[in-house]
Amino acid sequence: MPHSRNSNGVANPAYSRDGNETPERAGGRRSRPKISQVIVTRPHYQQEDLNNAFNYFKPKSSFYQDAMESMREMDTKTCVTGLFPIFKWLPEYSFPSDFIGDLISGLTVGVMHIPQGMGYALIANMPPITGIYTAFFPVLIYFLLGTSRHNSMGTLAVVSIMTGKVVYNHSGEGSNYSNLEVGTALCFLVGIIQLVMCLLRMGAASFLLSEALVSGFTTGAAVYVFTSQMKDILGVTLPPLGSRFEIVYTYYELGKRIPDTNLVNLGMASVAIIILLINNEIIKPRLAKLCVIPIPIQLILVVSGTLLSIQFNLKENYGLKVVGSIPQGLPAPKLPNFDIIPEILTESITVAIVGYTVSVSLGIIFAKKEHYEIGFNQELLALGAGNVFGSFFSCYPFAASLSRAAIQYLAGGKTQITGLVSCSLLAVVLLFVASFFQPLPRCILASIIAVSVQGLLMQSRDLPKFWRQGFFDGVTWILTFLSVVFISIDVGLLVGFVLSVSSIFFRALKPYMCQMGNVPNSDVYLDITRYEGLIEHRGIKIIHYSGGLHFASRAVFKNNICQFLNINLAEETKRRKAPDFVAADDAIKFLILDFTALSYIDPSAISTFKTFVKELEVVDVQTLLAGCSPLVFEKMKKCNFIGGEEHYVRTYPTIHDAVHYAQKQLRLRAGVVSQMIEEVRL
């Protein structure tokens, strides 16, 4: 039965795999949809012919020329605004409208900094006042260099925990360093690491930390934060517990000391927790409908707790632990102790990456909402410079806080002026009010911190979402969380990072491959496992490959192709050498590989590919390539896979061009065979 042809003389692909004129696949459940035909007339190209017809050339690039060109394009204004983003957004600042929102949100966030700063400093094993320092000095630098308009910079629970582990491991009894010396040295080293990352343009490298890793890690860290406050809530003292399995040991020791619980301490903490929960769950949602400014409930509790402690002398009469000595005024600049830097180098890298990743992740969220962009490397510069500067003023590493950033955004914050306003408020507190908080019971701060991680703990509800997204995401979340909770924070982060990177590797080993079928009366080819009514051309197998083809995935690629062809190359070669071998009428003669989604191919994969093509030719299967990108085409040509003397395969710009060539060859072969049979018969 002859093929029908269109106006261009091209064979119309109206034959199914069994040779019958039918628009449906065998076993199809739906009839072929009606398709309006738009006939495009063009010649059929081989890739080399197309390249010659349109003068294909490889653009020349020179690192020196590109660098000089980019330098010529930069003027003084561009350099200044690039280094100091404040000179870019400040001239566009709308003073009457924007400043009102910045003022209100700045005062609101500044009030939050006071209790959170002191509380998180205790988690970091630092003097309480250093938490307020950390919310003041580094934030001034971020105001000048930062690009996120809505991040609330200062103390962060996760970074405070990690700082506390470093301080605990390198200070105290048997050490030559105080807690403050370790914390400030860590702050300096974290800043230097972030500045080096900025110079190396490693801003986007932090996104190797997947969303599942960050969620599992921060949820586990929230459990750690909550657990670390239990001793102050109960009013008991715990012995040193080491750096591994600390949460397990903490609850074990707490269980043994339940009889020693200070009931007054527990009562005050319980009342504070109940008040905070009522505010968060009942009052705040209703008040948000009427006013964007939340009740400063944390500051109210801190002030009330301080007044109660003064009135009833809680430390002397009831044995409550209080914050203790808080120096009033701004600290004098002092160099960090550089002797400890070699000992904390490895731990500092982890703190630097986590602080940057959390800050940039939050910055991206708000930037998308408000339709502006943040600079990844500029954020590294701002964080690094802020940490180095803060290390001279008794600070520990700073980062962005989700809870404060959300309040800052909802309160109407527009720009980094919000941070300047909050710093101004904190300056007043440091100069005139700080010593007032000396009698504050630590159980009040512990209660505030325990409730503040409620949102992070609720991230556990995201686990089903990650399972739906993929097996690797679910496993990464669970193992990261369990490692943080049951081993330690640094081990948990390492486990999560290894799993995230491994998931990229394993996904690369299992690229998306499918067999393609032709949409009738068109040059469109689709996945036959996802569409019905497609045509599979007799003697031709079309395989789509998506991803990279390299030394790690070449074996998987070869095995999958053999599965699609339903052949075992070794056995098929032996079978064809048998004297009684007769090829089946429906045997595959042409393998067309759709490489439109092939992103990269390396020389080792090309070497394997060459051998594979020769093995297929032995079993009478010719390989054709379609849709190679210029980078892939150039790499294959450089490795003599296409062009050159050997010329292993033909390449075509589209699948349809390759199909046209294959069908033409099959018709020629069929004509030659028919002629030979006719000659033998005559």
Side-chain angles (χ1 to χ4, degrees):
M1 185 177 297
H3 289 268
S4 61
R5 295 180 180 270
N6 61 22
S7 59
N8 194 32
V10 180
N12 195 356
Y15 289 85
S16 65
R17 126 178 70 190
D18 57 6
N20 297 321
E21 286 188 339
T22 172
E24 303 176 52
R25 289 191 328 186
R29 295 182 297 276
R30 295 195 298 265
S31 60
R32 183 181 67 188
K34 294 181 179 180
I35 302 175
S36 58
Q37 296 188 28
V38 179
I39 298 176
V40 178
T41 303
R42 69 168 177 84
H44 290 91
Y45 288 108
Q46 189 178 347
Q47 187 69 55
E48 289 284 0
D49 298 334
L50 182 66
N51 293 350
N52 294 331
F54 294 93
N55 297 324
Y56 174 85
F57 65 95
K58 181 180 178 181
K60 294 182 179 180
S61 61
S62 169
F63 175 79
Y64 174 77
Q65 292 178 352
D66 293 343
M68 293 300 295
E69 185 67 26
S70 62
M71 290 178 65
R72 280 193 292 268
E73 293 175 356
M74 295 181 65
D75 53 14
T76 304
K77 181 180 178 181
T78 304
C79 292
V80 172
T81 55
L83 185 61
F84 297 98
I86 184 174
F87 293 114
K88 184 176 182 180
W89 60 263
L90 193 58
E92 303 172 358
Y93 190 76
S94 178
F95 185 79
S97 58
D98 291 348
F99 183 71
I100 295 175
D102 286 340
L103 178 63
I104 295 173
S105 63
L107 293 174
T108 304
V109 172
V111 168
M112 293 180 65
H113 271 301
I114 299 169
Q116 282 194 1
M118 292 191 294
Y120 288 153
L122 294 176
I123 298 177
N125 289 322
M126 297 282 284
I129 193 64
T130 59
I132 300 180
Y133 293 160
T134 303
F136 177 73
F137 290 102
V139 176
L140 291 175
I141 301 300
Y142 188 86
F143 166 73
L144 298 173
L145 301 177
T147 58
S148 175
R149 303 174 189 174
H150 298 90
N151 271 356
S152 177
M153 311 304 293
T155 54
L156 176 66
V158 175
V159 173
S160 298
I161 294 170
M162 301 179 75
T163 300
K165 299 297 293 181
V166 178
V167 171
Y168 175 83
N169 292 336
H170 298 278
S171 65
E173 296 181 5
S175 172
N176 297 324
Y177 310 109
S178 66
N179 290 23
L180 185 60
E181 286 179 318
V182 177
T184 54
L186 176 68
C187 187
F188 176 82
L189 190 53
V190 165
I192 293 297
I193 291 170
Q194 289 171 336
L195 290 176
V196 171
M197 291 173 65
C198 174
L199 290 175
L200 298 177
R201 314 293 292 176
M202 296 176 63
S206 66
F207 293 100
L208 288 174
L209 306 181
S210 66
E211 184 183 357
L213 183 158
V214 174
S215 177
F217 175 75
T218 52
T219 306
V223 174
Y224 189 98
V225 172
F226 181 84
T227 302
S228 68
Q229 301 310 301
M230 290 303 297
K231 65 180 186 300
D232 287 329
I233 291 175
L234 297 176
V236 299
T237 302
L238 299 182
L241 301 175
S243 60
R244 297 287 184 267
F245 311 103
E246 186 173 350
I247 292 181
V248 177
Y249 289 140
T250 297
Y251 282 110
Y252 174 73
E253 294 293 338
L254 287 173
K256 293 197 303 183
R257 286 165 174 75
I258 285 180
D260 302 329
T261 300
N262 187 317
L263 296 180
V264 176
N265 192 96
L266 178 61
M268 287 192 68
S270 300
V271 170
I273 289 173
I274 291 171
I275 292 173
L276 289 167
L277 291 176
I278 291 174
N279 177 75
N280 293 346
E281 302 298 328
I282 300 175
I283 299 177
K284 184 189 287 186
R286 297 182 180 181
L287 185 63
K289 299 177 182 178
L290 304 174
C291 178
V292 295
I293 303 176
I295 297 175
I297 190 66
Q298 297 176 338
L299 184 62
I300 292 173
L301 284 173
V302 167
V303 174
S304 301
T306 304
L307 294 175
L308 285 173
S309 180
I310 296 172
Q311 179 67 30
F312 296 101
N313 196 9
L314 297 178
K315 179 181 179 181
E316 301 297 333
N317 295 336
Y318 299 99
L320 268 67
K321 297 178 180 179
V322 297
V323 169
S325 176
I326 297 179
Q328 190 159 301
L330 298 176
K334 181 182 178 182
L335 286 174
N337 189 336
F338 298 121
D339 295 337
I340 195 176
I341 285 180
E343 300 180 27
I344 62 174
L345 178 59
T346 304
E347 295 159 302
S348 300
I349 295 173
T350 306
V351 178
I353 293 174
V354 170
Y356 169 70
T357 302
V358 173
S359 301
V360 170
S361 299
L362 289 179
I364 290 173
I365 293 172
F366 292 109
K368 286 182 178 178
K369 287 183 179 180
E370 294 300 316
H371 309 290
Y372 66 92
E373 294 183 356
I374 64 172
F376 296 145
N377 289 296
Q378 184 66 27
E379 286 295 294
L380 276 173
L381 175 63
L383 287 168
N387 278 315
V388 171
F389 180 73
S391 68
F392 299 116
F393 295 94
S394 303
C395 298
Y396 66 90
F398 82 117
S401 165
L402 175 59
S403 59
R404 292 196 308 270
I407 295 297
Q408 177 174 316
Y409 180 74
L410 293 174
K414 302 293 185 183
T415 66
Q416 292 92 321
I417 294 290
T418 302
L420 186 62
V421 173
S422 68
C423 286
S424 302
L425 177 61
L426 292 177
V428 174
V429 172
L430 290 170
L431 290 171
F432 305 107
V433 188
S435 60
F436 167 76
F437 298 107
Q438 290 181 164
L440 173 64
R442 292 178 61 154
C443 63
I444 299 294
L445 292 177
S447 303
I448 292 172
I449 295 169
V451 175
S452 69
V453 298
Q454 179 186 6
L456 293 177
L457 290 172
M458 290 299 102
Q459 288 182 145
S460 57
R461 294 181 295 187
D462 293 339
L463 179 57
K465 178 191 76 172
F466 289 115
W467 273 115
R468 289 192 297 270
Q469 289 178 356
F471 172 78
F472 277 110
D473 289 333
V475 170
T476 298
W477 196 101
I478 290 176
L479 292 183
T480 302
F481 173 80
L482 294 178
S483 299
V484 170
V485 170
F486 290 105
I487 304 178
S488 67
I489 284 185
D490 52 347
V491 171
L493 182 62
L494 178 62
V495 168
F497 180 77
V498 170
L499 288 171
S500 291
V501 175
S502 298
S503 67
I504 298 173
F505 178 74
F506 284 116
R507 283 167 179 158
L509 289 181
K510 294 188 67 176
Y512 171 63
M513 298 181 68
C514 66
Q515 182 179 343
M516 309 284 279
N518 183 215
V519 175
N521 301 318
S522 77
D523 61 352
V524 178
Y525 292 81
L526 303 173
D527 184 350
I528 67 171
T529 62
R530 286 173 166 78
Y531 296 89
E532 295 182 351
L534 304 179
I535 296 172
E536 297 177 57
H537 300 299
R538 179 187 294 175
I540 302 172
K541 187 76 74 172
I542 308 169
I543 307 299
H544 173 82
Y545 184 92
S546 178
L549 188 52
H550 42 75
F551 66 93
S553 60
R554 56 185 176 177
V556 175
F557 169 77
K558 180 177 178 180
N559 292 336
N560 287 349
I561 293 295
C562 290
Q563 290 179 8
F564 279 114
L565 295 176
N566 195 26
I567 60 173
N568 182 308
L569 280 176
E571 294 181 359
E572 187 70 15
T573 302
K574 293 179 182 178
R575 193 169 68 88
R576 287 177 177 269
K577 290 180 180 180
D580 57 345
F581 171 77
V582 178
D585 293 338
D586 60 348
I588 301 299
K589 301 296 183 183
F590 285 91
L591 168 65
I592 299 176
L593 295 175
D594 174 25
F595 278 172
T596 52
L598 177 63
S599 57
Y600 170 76
I601 187 168
D602 69 0
S604 59
I606 293 176
S607 178
T608 301
F609 206 173
K610 288 179 181 179
T611 305
F612 185 45
V613 167
K614 289 182 178 180
E615 292 173 345
L616 290 175
E617 288 177 351
V618 172
V619 297
D620 199 22
V621 176
Q622 185 177 347
T623 305
L624 308 176
L625 305 185
C628 296
S629 68
L631 291 178
V632 172
F633 180 83
E634 289 163 4
K635 177 67 73 173
M636 290 181 174
K637 195 166 186 178
K638 187 180 295 184
C639 296
N640 292 321
F641 188 52
I642 56 179
E645 298 179 357
E646 299 181 77
H647 196 77
Y648 287 82
V649 293
R650 289 176 175 267
T651 56
Y652 296 87
T654 69
I655 298 176
H656 205 59
D657 290 293
V659 169
H660 173 75
Y661 171 79
Q663 288 182 328
K664 181 178 179 181
Q665 294 300 311
L666 288 173
R667 288 195 299 272
L668 289 174
R669 293 185 187 184
V672 170
V673 171
S674 299
Q675 183 178 357
M676 292 175 61
I677 293 174
E678 185 66 23
E679 291 176 354
V680 170
R681 190 182 63 173
L682 293 175

